[in-house]
Amino acid sequence: MADENDSERPLHSDPDEGAIDEPTTSSAQEADETAWMMKEGITIGLIAIGAMVLLGLGLLQGTGLVDVFAPIADSNVGQWAAFGVLVLVALAAFAWSRRGV
């Protein structure tokens, strides 16, 4: 399906590449897909916000401006270990959110 606008399109761009072959036929199916998309969008947004907070906290901890984990760990290694556990929890939350996708 070549037309006169083919020369103006970016290379390797096919707008219909990911198109769905079958349209939704029922309102229940559409509602399920909408709920799924909202859940995915909210989950990715929350994980991204949490990752940015962890990045900021790690940078502040690394420069010595804050000692958030001082009540938990007295040594510098202990504070970084507590931060590492927090990062692992965030990674586990991200992996859990991607399960079944």
Side-chain angles (χ1 to χ4, degrees):
M1 295 174 118
D3 59 2
E4 61 274 357
N5 294 332
D6 279 344
S7 62
E8 297 174 9
R9 290 188 184 146
L11 295 176
H12 307 295
S13 175
D14 188 8
D16 296 329
E17 184 177 351
I20 299 172
D21 293 335
E22 300 173 7
T24 56
T25 56
S26 68
S27 60
Q29 181 184 8
E30 184 178 350
D32 288 343
E33 289 178 3
T34 302
W36 179 82
M37 287 188 293
M38 288 177 60
K39 175 196 163 267
E40 291 299 312
I42 290 170
T43 301
I44 290 172
L46 289 175
I47 295 295
I49 290 170
M52 290 301 111
V53 168
L54 279 176
L55 178 65
L57 183 62
L59 291 171
L60 288 171
Q61 182 76 25
T63 58
L65 293 174
V66 295
D67 286 329
V68 176
F69 303 110
I72 298 171
D74 294 332
S75 69
N76 195 20
V77 174
Q79 289 183 8
W80 280 110
F83 180 74
V85 169
L86 199 59
V87 168
L88 288 176
V89 168
L91 287 174
F94 177 73
W96 175 78
S97 73
R98 301 286 87 210
R99 185 186 59 149
V101 174

